[in-house]
Amino acid sequence: MMTLDSVISTLGEKFIDITGVATTLYNSHGLCEQGVVADSILYGPAGHAKTQIARGFLHMMYEGPIFDKIAMGTGTTIYDILGFSVPDEIMKGRKVFQYDYGFMAANAALFDEFLDAPASVLEQLKAVIMDAEHCVNCVVCIKSSGKFILACTNH
């Protein structure tokens, strides 16, 4: 596992004044590794490299797959994030997600333009992250334990 100093040094090669952000991400990641929900949102004006910092950090910390959803917007659906659905009749009209790609198949996730996604998508994503038993809109969910999530959004 990378040390905080190595994270700061590596990110510092591309970004100026990175110590505070790198420390926050590193500490959040460490809590997540201990089973604590400690995901992070990088929030600020457009053009300040939030997504590039987050992507660089995730690629340093994870060797396995990282889900990178660029530009969540009004057209984003829960299918884009979780995976694809199979025919409704399989679960008596309920949608079933197969997790061979998308957020659930990755070790970590980066959601860009996070708050631009439709409220219904954010509600369903919250249900998966926080409490799989209370998923909304009849979606069969598997709780996403142990995934580290970074979200970037503009104000």
Side-chain angles (χ1 to χ4, degrees), residues 2-10 19 22-27:
M2 293 190 79
T3 66
L4 175 58
D5 288 338
S6 62
V7 169
I8 292 170
S9 175
T10 303
T19 302
T23 301
T24 299
L25 295 177
Y26 186 84
N27 290 337

Side-chain angles (χ1 to χ4, degrees), residues 37 39 67 77-83 94-99 101-106 109 111 114 119-149:
V37 176
D39 306 311
F67 179 73
T77 69
I78 197 67
Y79 302 101
D80 297 327
I81 297 168
L82 295 181
R94 297 181 79 183
K95 299 224 184 267
V96 178
F97 290 103
Q98 296 182 1
Y99 298 108
Y101 77 95
F103 167 65
M104 295 303 290
F111 296 109
F114 184 67
S120 61
V121 171
L122 296 177
E123 287 174 5
Q124 291 178 49
L125 183 58
K126 177 186 172 196
V128 172
I129 294 166
M130 301 304 294
D131 188 0
E133 294 177 11
H134 294 96
C135 285
V136 294
N137 296 335
C138 299
V139 176
V140 176
C141 295
I142 299 171
K143 187 170 180 174
S144 97
S145 59
K147 295 187 187 305
F148 184 61
I149 301 166

